[in-house]
Amino acid sequence: MTVRTRIAPSPTGDPHVGTAYIALFNLCFARQHGGRFILRIEDTDRIRSTSESEQMILDSLRWLGLEWDEGPDVGGPHGPYRQSERGDIYAEHARQLLEAGHAFKCYRTSEELDELRDARKAAGMHLALKPADLALPVEEQSRREREGWPHVVRMKVPSSGTCMIDDMLRDPIEVDWAQVDAQILLKSDGMPTYHLANVVDDHLMGITHVLRGEEWINSAPKHQLLYEYFGWRMPVLCHMPLLRNPDKSKLSKRKNPTSINYYRRMGFLPQAVTNYLGRMGWSMPDEREKFGLDEMMAHFDIQRVSLGGPVFDLEKLTWLNGLYIREDLDDRAFLKALMEWSFNEEYVNQILPQVRTRVETLSQVVPLAGHFFSGLPEISESDFDSIKLGREDLVRLLQLLIWRFEVVPTWDKELLLADIKMLADHFELKMKEFLAPVFIAITGSSASTSVMDAMVILGSDMTRARLRHAIEVLGGVSKKQAKRFEKEYRELP
Ligand code: GLU
């Protein structure tokens, strides 16, 4: 048997370090067994998936040196590798389940579903809805069918008993069937849900081992049952521990930059980031901290993964990156790294229009454009003295802006401007007044290039990191303030 593993990202935002972490372990596992590593794009969520996000994921993984053998861009014998191009396959498999009586068409309206859930809640019962709860009287079912009401296809699930899930790293996981609902497999628009598409594809793509984040454990019973229904052998499962912030909470962009784009813009070396991800819950047999991808592959053993939540610590990563710069790069390699990072035509070309009209001698370029080539600016509280806002309002303004920026679907100037206009109105400030503190936070000075363009060029994560840094410089947000700000944020238009 050839080992086949995969990474199956959903292209719905920035390329996440968690995706790279899981990709790395799948790649090492496959290579250790002389197997193949596949990249599949899970873009069944047509509203949130974007092609820019897909491109960024591919670019970032490649930047980190995590190459795949089959995928949407390199092809392979089991394509297409993008779920949005496999609609017929899922429809056909849903039909098979319906025919075999393992799934049913559900014509319940969302109001009815709410009522059913409320009733269960009131009775103190578990909220999982079972086929029997969802069933309509036969006549009503055929009426809705005849009249062509919108419907979904759901899988049948047992109402009681326990389900045992085997996992490479854990004792068998016991799940009570009572907690598992009659999962939707096909949505009313005919698109599959993650569960159906994931199982069908893993099978058809010959995946033998599924290494994925532990947040997917709850899906495993449904998947196991689907494999049984289809009469297929299930891949071996391995749920990896989630990456954590230093305070042990789940790694989230609210507390830490999570996008690979940020680490790239910040000037981390890909080999250092990959090495650091390899240290997440895993160690080399000799416990050394610094090792290359080849070494990791050569010594890989999944049993060396420890389940205690690995902490993704920026300080540690920075230290490791420094080691790489000092120990591995001679002058030539250092220059090459700098050129790949920012001193290249592609990046500099974005900056030229920002500076050309603002300088009289070439030597003014570097001081003026320094913020495009730096990390967090060196600012202090007094830099904000010129702003006529109290400290709390200042922090509030920056915080609400960060939260809005967290959810812009594409990092595009028009969308950013719309958010800023809305917030300026909300604060009853002119655009210029609203942007003044943002300007300082982003460029590190009160006179520089356009702050709007700077944010677009720097990207979402670097922008948010600088805004967050400014908040810290201003004394941070207390828990009480955060609560108030959140309430205000939720009420924004
Ligand atoms: N599309 C899922 C994700 O975004 C894949 C989960 C899995 O590996 O099964 O992570």
Side-chain angles (χ1 to χ4, degrees):
M1 175 193 73
T2 311
V3 165
R4 291 173 61 86
T5 64
R6 50 61 166 187
I7 182 78
S10 298
T12 55
D14 290 333
H16 200 280
V17 283
T19 303
Y21 156 66
I22 300 292
L24 171 64
F25 280 77
N26 274 286
L27 172 65
C28 287
F29 188 85
R31 291 288 176 265
Q32 175 208 4
H33 292 94
R36 288 169 77 81
F37 171 56
I38 286 97
L39 187 143
R40 176 175 75 232
I41 293 292
E42 299 209 328
D43 55 352
T44 54
D45 183 339
R46 299 309 295 148
I47 296 173
R48 293 177 58 228
S49 300
T50 64
S51 52
E52 297 90 60
S53 170
E54 174 183 323
Q55 196 53 51
M56 286 196 290
I57 294 172
L58 302 189
D59 287 349
S60 311
L61 294 179
R62 216 165 249 135
W63 176 68
L64 290 170
L66 309 174
E67 296 276 347
W68 46 98
D69 305 305
E70 298 168 28
D73 55 340
V74 295
H78 300 277
Y81 292 90
R82 215 176 264 120
Q83 289 187 329
S84 57
E85 293 164 22
R86 300 171 64 82
D88 295 348
I89 301 177
Y90 310 124
E92 164 58 20
H93 284 84
R95 201 188 51 75
Q96 282 175 24
L97 291 176
L98 281 168
E99 231 156 59
H102 296 311
F104 60 100
K105 291 183 183 169
C106 177
Y107 286 88
R108 289 287 191 175
T109 63
S110 51
E111 294 78 37
E112 287 172 342
L113 293 173
D114 288 343
E115 277 166 27
L116 284 167
R117 286 196 192 96
D118 290 345
R120 292 181 77 83
K121 208 171 184 176
M125 289 159 84
H126 208 278
L127 293 185
L129 291 176
K130 298 291 181 181
D133 306 312
L134 294 159
L136 286 163
V138 183
E139 290 223 332
E140 182 61 12
Q141 173 86 8
S142 18
R143 182 177 75 88
R144 294 187 184 187
E145 210 160 334
R146 226 176 24 245
E147 292 175 5
W149 285 40
H151 68 278
V152 299
V153 174
R154 291 178 182 268
M155 69 188 285
K156 292 197 179 160
V157 287
S159 40
S160 59
T162 50
C163 162
M164 296 292 254
I165 303 290
D166 288 324
D167 185 294
M168 272 197 279
L169 296 174
R170 301 155 203 262
D171 290 336
I173 305 162
E174 242 178 75
V175 184
D176 194 352
W177 274 120
Q179 299 175 14
V180 181
D181 57 357
Q183 174 63 49
I184 297 179
L185 300 177
L186 277 191
K187 295 180 256 186
S188 55
D189 62 0
M191 282 302 266
T193 56
Y194 154 73
H195 304 277
L196 178 67
N198 188 270
V199 164
V200 167
D201 285 348
D202 279 347
H203 174 72
L204 295 180
M205 296 182 181
I207 301 303
T208 58
H209 295 76
V210 168
L211 281 65
R212 63 179 168 201
E214 68 192 344
E215 76 263 39
W216 300 102
I217 285 184
N218 288 340
S219 302
K222 296 170 188 172
H223 295 186
Q224 185 160 301
L225 192 56
L226 283 174
Y227 281 99
E228 264 174 56
Y229 286 165
F230 284 119
W232 297 335
R233 184 174 169 165
M234 171 145 149
V236 178
L237 296 184
C238 175
H239 291 97
M240 299 285 295
L242 289 184
L243 301 184
R244 308 212 162 253
N245 296 308
D247 68 4
K248 286 281 180 182
S249 57
K250 181 180 156 195
L251 189 70
S252 71
K253 62 179 168 190
R254 289 225 156 170
K255 297 199 172 150
N256 253 316
T258 54
S259 160
I260 300 165
N261 291 340
Y262 171 82
Y263 295 92
R264 209 168 162 176
R265 177 95 312 278
M266 198 65 181
F268 286 93
L269 301 175
Q271 57 272 42
V273 178
T274 303
N275 180 165
Y276 190 60
L277 290 174
R279 296 276 299 120
M280 294 292 100
W282 193 81
S283 55
M284 285 290 261
D286 62 4
E287 302 280 333
R288 96 187 96 118
E289 303 238 29
K290 185 164 168 257
F291 50 84
L293 181 55
D294 286 349
E295 290 171 284
M296 179 164 173
M297 285 176 189
H299 294 278
F300 192 70
D301 174 3
I302 191 75
Q303 293 307 328
R304 292 186 63 82
V305 169
S306 81
L307 293 177
V311 171
F312 190 86
D313 182 349
L314 246 157
E315 264 178 48
K316 269 252 117 143
L317 171 61
T318 309
W319 166 81
L320 186 64
N321 201 62
L323 277 192
Y324 272 90
I325 291 184
R326 291 192 301 277
E327 294 176 2
D328 288 31
L329 303 186
D330 57 18
D331 287 349
R332 265 181 81 129
F334 190 38
L335 177 61
K336 192 161 166 262
L338 278 169
M339 286 167 55
E340 273 168 13
W341 169 60
S342 285
F343 296 106
N344 56 61
E345 265 194 66
E346 196 198 336
Y347 190 59
V348 172
N349 270 335
Q350 295 183 62
I351 292 155
L352 293 185
Q354 304 297 320
V355 292
R356 194 203 315 278
T357 52
R358 292 182 171 91
V359 295
E360 287 171 318
T361 63
L362 303 183
S363 57
Q364 288 168 352
V365 169
V366 168
L368 184 64
H371 57 286
F372 287 109
F373 298 89
S374 57
L376 303 179
E378 284 186 27
I379 47 174
S380 63
E381 212 185 318
S382 60
D383 288 318
F384 293 88
D385 283 351
S386 58
I387 312 282
K388 282 172 214 55
L389 281 175
R391 191 157 71 181
E392 162 141 351
D393 283 339
L394 210 50
V395 169
R396 200 173 116 237
L397 180 157
L398 295 169
Q399 184 60 71
L400 294 193
L401 185 61
I402 295 177
W403 285 338
R404 283 302 280 214
F405 280 179
E406 271 174 13
V407 293
V408 278
T410 42
W411 196 248
D412 153 298
K413 193 166 167 184
E414 295 304 313
L415 293 179
L416 302 188
L417 253 167
D419 272 345
I420 286 176
K421 278 205 182 105
M422 182 278 295
L423 278 174
D425 285 349
H426 177 73
F427 278 83
E428 296 179 356
L429 292 172
K430 295 204 189 84
M431 277 286 268
K432 219 177 155 176
E433 293 165 336
F434 182 90
L435 280 175
V438 178
F439 201 107
I440 299 170
I442 299 295
T443 69
S445 75
S446 51
S448 185
T449 61
S450 143
V451 65
M452 287 307 304
D453 290 316
M455 291 194 288
V456 173
I457 294 171
L458 288 166
S460 145
D461 274 75
M462 180 59 91
T463 296
R464 283 186 286 110
R466 289 189 185 179
L467 295 173
R468 216 170 11 232
H469 176 63
I471 292 182
E472 290 310 313
V473 164
L474 288 163
V477 181
S478 71
K479 278 218 170 97
K480 251 186 165 167
Q481 283 174 320
K483 267 213 173 123
R484 254 186 289 128
F485 297 170
E486 275 195 45
K487 183 163 179 285
E488 184 179 349
Y489 174 74
R490 278 196 302 272
E491 287 161 6
L492 289 174

